[in-house]
Amino acid sequence: MSKTAILEIDGKKYEFPIIVGTENEVAIDIEKLRGATGAITLDPGYKNSGSCKSEITFLDGEEGILRYRGYSIEDLADKADFLEVAYLLIFGELPNKAQLDKFETDIRKHTLVNEEMKTILEGFPKTAHPMGVLSSLTSALTAFNPKSVNVENEKELYEAICKTMGKFLVIATWTYRRRMGFPLNYYDNTKGYVENFMRLMFEIPTEPYKMDKRIVDALDKLFILHADHEQNCSTSTVRIVGSSHAGLFASISAGVSALWGPLHGGANQAVLEMLEEIHNNGGDVAKFVLKAKDKEDPFRLMGFGHRVYKNFDPRATIIKKAADDVLEALGVDDPLLDIAKQLEKVALEDEYFKSRNLYPNVDFYSGIIYRAMGIPVEMFTVLFAIGRLPGWIAQWKEMRLNKEPIGRPRQVYTGSTLRPFKEVNQR
Ligand code: CMC
């Protein structure tokens, strides 16, 4: 591989360095492009643009590979637990037992949320979508933690990370409690992180809460599968907001908003709503496949396709199996799962989907499991956010420690050229 790329503009040649990553991905370094040539690149949706160098997650969309810090997603989902994976993503190495215990203990020191946050929560109508409320509450945490983190100070940075891990989980579940009219719950520091999620959501004061270990284990795995996915829409948002040196809570809050959209994390809710719609329409899967193929119809098969995976989504393979296991263990017979399986079969055999490499993605199956666990559909994307939190933190930390410049893309202006101003009565 040559070490430089040559660009020719108006007969003049310019050389740019070629950078090769540890997994041999090739990038042309155009940092000096505008200075040297006066030109910029145009790449809507950043389909061909790398925004940073990163050591966190490796993803090969053609081969269906996903690794966190070099460990395969299959191994991590099978052998690690969510907090171990969070530690790995954020600090770069798998923790030993003492490090893991300390991390969990330190998160527990920050699981109490300021009582005044409840007033803010009460200001929202009960019908408000939990993702909107979560984004606002995460941002509101800034008000109670006004000091911006000095990232150069290891202790301060570590404390901010533990604080975010602790408080975010609690406020995420509060969005549901408020919606249901349940009293807000407190974290129980004698229990694990994922167990606490279930308690915080579902424990009510009138009866003891019975934890189902099968659900906790499945949820732990789902959180791991969602924990990072390199420079996706919400993660890039977190990095770009953080690049202005906005604080961690403010950056994460922006990430929650970005995740909410149905083309990103909001797809898990959209998938289930789509399956329900197909079911309520008599289960005619072929009709919906036709709709998805019709270019005049804006309808898309939710849970199909991915910007990067053009072969299969390795997370979907793991989740598909987990969905079968969970449904069998819980004895759930869900007609929506049958529809999902039919849809998958029809789409995978259809030329439209095959030629465009549209395969089921992570969101296609996750909703089915969440539903079997008794998690309400409007909370699905909140669960994605809880899983993605360590990834956002890790990426924010990397960006700040690498002293990356403020994110500020350019544009090609296509509007009017200079025109004379007309007074209002002359327009
Ligand atoms: N149903 C029908 N057609 C589709 C779909 C779909 N789900 N996804 C893409 N296409 C078609 C699209 O119309 C286009 O066709 P043509 O070449 O004829 O114009 C072609 O496939 C390429 O699509 P694209 O929109 O250029 O691809 P993209 O990389 O910009 O978008 C995507 C990727 C995930 C936004 C898109 O596939 C989609 O909207 N999928 C449904 C939403 C979804 O499931 N999102 C969750 C993604 S995974 C979770 C996460 O990481 O956030």
Side-chain angles (χ1 to χ4, degrees), residues 45 47 226 229 232-234 258-259 261-268 270-271 288-289 291-295 298-310 313 315 352-353 355-364 384 388:
K47 290 192 178 189
H226 286 91
H229 214 229
N232 56 83
C233 176
S234 58
L259 186 71
L263 299 190
H264 190 11
N268 57 14
V271 168
F288 283 82
V289 171
K291 259 169 83 64
K293 288 163 40 172
D294 180 358
K295 291 288 160 204
F299 175 78
R300 283 188 165 198
L301 275 195
M302 298 317 277
F304 274 78
H306 197 274
R307 167 58 62 80
V308 185
Y309 292 122
K310 299 299 174 197
D313 180 341
R315 304 166 302 171
Y352 173 96
F353 290 87
S355 63
R356 289 170 180 76
N357 299 315
L358 300 170
Y359 298 91
N361 58 48
V362 67
D363 291 321
F364 189 65
F384 193 150
R388 185 54 54 90

Side-chain angles (χ1 to χ4, degrees), residues 104-161:
E104 190 156 16
T105 307
D106 292 334
I107 289 173
R108 284 175 179 155
K109 287 179 190 155
H110 298 287
T111 48
L112 200 59
V113 173
N114 193 305
E115 287 290 302
E116 284 180 70
M117 286 283 286
K118 291 184 180 175
T119 323
I120 301 172
L121 181 63
E122 273 157 24
F124 287 94
K126 274 193 178 150
T127 48
H129 193 285
M131 282 297 277
V133 181
L134 179 59
S135 169
S136 308
L137 289 186
T138 309
S139 180
L141 283 173
T142 318
F144 302 95
N145 302 273
K147 205 170 146 280
S148 70
V149 189
N150 174 6
V151 291
E152 304 297 334
N153 182 326
E154 214 176 301
K155 198 165 155 274
E156 235 182 78
L157 180 59
Y158 178 75
E159 191 180 299
I161 290 165

Side-chain angles (χ1 to χ4, degrees), residues 249-264:
F249 291 134
S251 308
I252 301 284
S253 156
V256 173
S257 298
L259 186 71
W260 188 5
L263 299 190
H264 190 11

